[in-house]
Every structure is written in C-alpha cells, then in structure tokens.
Amino acid sequence: KNLLIALSLCVFVSAAPHLGEKVDQYTVLEKLAKGTFSDVFAVQDPEGSVQVLKWYREEKKPTISTFGYLFGDWEREYKIGTALQHPAIIKVKDVFDRCLILERAKGKPLSKFSKNSLTCRQAIEVSVQLIDAIKYAYSNGYS
C-alpha cells in the first residue's frame, strides 16, 4: 500500500502542468511549446501579468549529450538567465522545482514569418539585435 502511494506521488509530481492548474503562485493559461527537455506554458502571476513557465522533464544524467548540457539543464539556464542583463535576452524571473519563470517576449518568433515578409530594414534591425546579444553574451563568457 505504501509503495503504491509513493509511486502515485512520483507520477503526480513528475506530470506536466495542465491548463487552469496552479503551479506555485502561477496559473497555467496555455501550452506554448514542447521541446526535447521541457514544456513551455503561458502563465499568469498573482498581479495578473503573463509570464512564461518552462517546466523541465526529469533528465537522465548518465546519457546527457552536449545538446542536453546546453539546453537541458534548468540550473545552468537559471544561472545564465540571471547573469545576463541585455534587452534582447529573455530574463529569468523566478525558479522552483525544475521550473523557470521567464519574461514573455513581445512579438512573434522569426520562424512564424513567411519568406520575404520582412523588409530589408526590418531584417537588418533584427540581425543587429541578435548580433548585439551574441556579442554581449560572448563578452560575459557565455557564448
């Protein structure tokens, strides 16, 4: 009986958040993406602002790859996300139990734009922001 209860708790704790569910002090609004190592949700904080919750699945340390090292380690992402303070780099706002709360970026991902939909000026502006963010990360030892 105790083993069954313990197993049930493990499954419950490791399950991804659901819409409308409270996770810590945040209410899950919608699922935004599913990645290799994490699921990403739009959440509402107690003040009513929309943030992003990145919920990391359990990782298997013995077989973790270089890709996993770069993108599958929530503790490492928290450290970098709080160390870098640049307007083009998303900031980490909170952390708890394999979850990061990130600021929500305005706009839409570049992958959602159709081919040739950006003007030359818009493409240059986006490129300059990206180059500046990479240069900043590099100068701080993170790229």
Side-chain angles (χ1 to χ4, degrees):
K1 181 179 174 183
N2 289 341
L3 180 60
L4 184 57
I5 291 171
L7 191 57
S8 297
L9 284 174
C10 287
V11 169
F12 177 72
V13 169
S14 67
H18 299 287
L19 303 184
E21 180 181 341
K22 280 267 201 203
V23 178
D24 197 53
Q25 60 183 336
Y26 303 92
T27 303
V28 178
L29 301 175
E30 67 176 305
K31 188 171 188 172
L32 300 173
K34 180 180 177 79
T36 303
F37 303 103
S38 61
D39 294 332
V40 180
F41 300 88
V43 294
Q44 187 172 31
D45 66 20
E47 291 80 40
S49 297
V50 177
Q51 310 293 335
V52 172
L53 180 141
K54 189 170 184 181
W55 177 82
Y56 285 84
R57 290 186 283 284
E58 285 291 333
E59 54 190 276
K60 295 169 178 50
K61 292 269 187 196
T63 60
I64 199 159
S65 64
T66 303
F67 181 79
Y69 170 74
L70 293 174
F71 300 104
D73 184 344
W74 67 270
E75 291 166 317
R76 183 173 182 275
E77 186 169 350
Y78 173 75
K79 179 182 169 198
I80 294 170
T82 54
L84 299 178
Q85 298 298 315
H86 186 278
I89 298 175
I90 292 174
K91 290 161 192 53
V92 175
K93 301 183 115 192
D94 197 4
V95 62
F96 55 90
D97 190 35
R98 291 187 355 262
C99 292
L100 297 179
I101 299 294
L102 310 169
E103 70 178 336
R104 182 145 190 193
K106 293 169 179 56
K108 64 181 182 179
L110 285 175
S111 62
K112 300 293 182 189
F113 285 90
S114 59
K115 188 174 182 179
N116 299 322
S117 66
L118 293 176
T119 66
C120 184
R121 183 176 187 84
Q122 289 171 319
I124 290 170
E125 287 173 11
V126 168
S127 298
V128 168
Q129 288 177 33
L130 178 60
I131 291 166
D132 191 53
I134 291 170
K135 183 176 140 187
Y136 173 82
Y138 178 79
S139 69
N140 283 277
Y142 288 105
S143 181

